[in-house]
Amino acid sequence: MLKFLGHAGFMYETKNEMLLMDPWMSKEGAFDSSWYQFPSNHDLGDEIRNEIESTEKEVYIYISHEHKDHFDVPFLKTLNLSKINFITPKFRRDHVAYILNKLNPKSVTTPVDSEVLNVGNMEIRLFLDDQEIVRDSALGLIDKEKDFTFLNLNDCKVYDRVDELKDIFKKFDAFTCQFSGAVFHPVCYDYPEKKYKEISESKVFGKFNSVSNLISKFEPNLYIPAAGPPVFLDPELININFQEVNIFSSPFKFKNYLVENMPELNIEVPLPGSTFNFDNDNNIEINHPFDNVEEQFAKENIKKYAKNYSYIFENRNEQKLVYNPIQIQQRLLKELKSKLENFNIEQNMDVVMQFSIVEIPDSSIFVYFDKKEIKIMDKNQNNSSSTYEISSSAGDIGRLLDGYLNWEDFMLSFRHKLKRTPDIYQVAINGFLTMEKEDVPEFIENLMRLQNQRERITVEAGGVLYSIDKFCPHQGSDLTTHQIEDERYLICPKHRWSFDLENEGKAVGLDATINAVDLDGDGS
């Protein structure tokens, strides 16, 4: 039996084993209480805890990666850990495995990419995406007794490995992957309302198109939309839930899109506690804890939800008051300086980063990447034409510096404002902000390796042959499995970066290129 636990969480049970996947059940949410499960699964968390306590089955918990909406340490600590066998990938940075071992569970297993784990009658494989700016994994499961296959990609974008996965699993009885946005662009950026809506709509339907393309290749018996979106209960963030357009799409919006574009697809929107029973004849019995599933996603439920948890944000705001803005600015300067010392990048970076504390009106921290200088200056002294501005409160930065969350958690908390001039994404800047200082050297090494890769492939668009770099300059995805749009734009399968083949393969709105060469000579 397959059971949905909420957000990206699932549980699969056999006669003798129980496998939980990414159970995020804590009442404190994730990313310093900025994200919350929706619909709420907190009561289900109590049930799961009791079930683990009473079961005689062998209990396994898979943790896909370190994002707190997947790696819920507070919830894991409430379990009878002497019964828990953890499974998590062998990443270069072993943070998840390190924390799990400190919990002193029954066991911790760290398989490498595609390694086969035999768990009773289950055959389990993990598929890793291990880069410095992203670290994630997917899980494929075969129940050999029931001839049942479940592929759980959660957030992991192994879109360039479709043929490999199909070759391994042959069929997919149930398939799940993220369909909604989950990043801080454009949510935290200073855009006019019209542009914000345009970017959001583009991201939404770009994601819908990518996932539907993936579904069409896997041809699952059942698709279960999961892994988001979260909701935001903090009074400072709650308005995000009620924006007319943003990247956090309802599963029913995606379902309607799939019904229109893939009418033969079997799709079921789950609730925490929904169960899926598959028999050997491919019949599926589905049970939900509520008759009206769509009603549970109603916007008015978010307001009630926020009211019930208002005490968390009242306490958090009181804790933020202890931070002195001037002291936090000095501590932040020291932290950014230590990052910059490790930021030995071999490329021209004329952009200047301006990091501001909201409570300090007249000065900011300025980072000059080209000169490797960092200093506090008056805000009006910066005359650079290329800037990346970030601002946040002294309390939120103080909690970051005190270890309540790491840099990536902080960026995902959405408790900051961003502006870039010109409005062009730069991988290096994003990495500088999201990486821990000890991970910066590995990030730079990986970025330089990607930029220096020059293996080439030939693609066709609009009847023209082009030679391009084989690997995407963003995160190294193999562009062999690309899509072509409007007969000129090559779309990366992993994050949908768009490259204009008629403009030398330059990325649209991004500082990157795949160095396209027209092999026909004149583009005709």
Side-chain angles (χ1 to χ4, degrees), residues 62-64 87-97 108-115 126-130 135-137:
Y62 159 65
I63 304 297
S64 62
I87 301 172
T88 196
K90 188 174 182 60
F91 291 129
R92 184 203 66 80
R93 183 175 185 265
D94 63 352
H95 174 72
V96 175
V108 177
T109 301
T110 54
V112 299
D113 184 76
S114 301
E115 179 182 346
L126 305 189
F127 301 92
L128 281 62
D129 186 6
D130 189 6
R135 198 171 283 111
D136 205 344
S137 70

Side-chain angles (χ1 to χ4, degrees), residues 110-336:
T110 54
V112 299
D113 184 76
S114 301
E115 179 182 346
V116 176
L117 294 180
N118 290 298
V119 176
N121 285 317
M122 291 186 290
E123 183 177 289
I124 295 171
R125 287 181 175 88
L126 305 189
F127 301 92
L128 281 62
D129 186 6
D130 189 6
Q131 301 173 63
E132 296 314 311
I133 205 165
V134 66
R135 198 171 283 111
D136 205 344
S137 70
L139 178 145
L141 176 157
I142 300 174
D143 184 336
K144 291 179 283 188
E145 183 178 3
K146 290 192 130 187
D147 188 30
F148 169 78
T149 301
F150 177 49
L151 181 61
N152 177 7
L153 294 193
N154 62 82
D155 311 4
C156 188
K157 296 176 177 62
V158 287
Y159 295 2
D160 52 348
R161 300 177 67 178
V162 170
D163 291 341
E164 175 190 354
L165 293 168
K166 289 174 67 176
D167 186 57
I168 291 171
F169 295 104
K170 312 303 181 188
K171 68 182 181 80
F172 302 94
D173 295 297
F175 171 56
T176 185
C177 72
Q178 185 186 63
F179 66 92
S180 172
V183 295
F184 49 88
H185 181 266
V187 183
C188 298
Y189 281 78
D190 181 18
Y191 287 126
E193 184 177 359
K194 182 181 178 181
K195 185 171 184 180
Y196 180 85
K197 288 182 178 179
E198 290 173 351
I199 294 171
S200 298
E201 284 283 6
S202 176
K203 281 180 170 282
V204 165
F205 288 103
K207 183 79 169 183
F208 284 7
N209 182 63
S210 290
V211 176
S212 62
N213 183 55
L214 200 60
I215 293 170
S216 68
K217 292 177 179 178
F218 285 138
E219 300 180 300
N221 190 21
L222 174 68
Y223 170 68
I224 306 171
V231 292
F232 309 93
L233 306 185
D234 187 335
E236 295 180 7
L237 301 173
I238 196 169
N239 67 295
I240 297 173
N241 305 299
F242 302 99
Q243 291 172 342
E244 182 181 347
V245 179
N246 62 32
I247 62 172
F248 304 105
S249 302
S250 157
F252 284 95
K253 182 175 181 177
F254 185 44
K255 180 177 181 178
N256 292 337
Y257 174 90
L258 291 175
V259 167
E260 181 178 345
N261 292 278
M262 305 177 69
E264 302 301 316
L265 177 67
N266 186 11
I267 174 173
E268 191 71 24
V269 175
L271 292 171
S274 295
T275 58
F276 305 86
N277 284 287
F278 298 77
D279 65 23
N280 292 331
D281 296 321
N282 288 327
N283 297 312
I284 311 170
E285 179 186 341
I286 301 173
N287 292 290
H288 298 295
F290 295 94
D291 293 333
N292 191 331
V293 173
E294 189 167 4
E295 190 176 79
Q296 307 307 310
F297 291 87
K299 294 287 188 180
E300 56 263 27
N301 293 335
I302 299 174
K303 294 180 180 179
K304 298 174 186 175
Y305 196 178
K307 187 176 181 180
N308 290 336
Y309 288 84
S310 61
Y311 68 93
I312 288 178
F313 305 105
E314 291 168 2
N315 292 338
R316 187 178 179 280
N317 286 335
E318 287 181 10
Q319 293 168 9
K320 286 170 58 177
L321 294 175
V322 305
Y323 293 103
N324 178 283
I326 298 299
Q327 292 176 352
I328 291 301
Q329 188 181 57
Q330 290 295 326
R331 290 177 62 191
L332 179 61
L333 176 68
K334 183 178 179 181
E335 172 76 7
L336 294 176

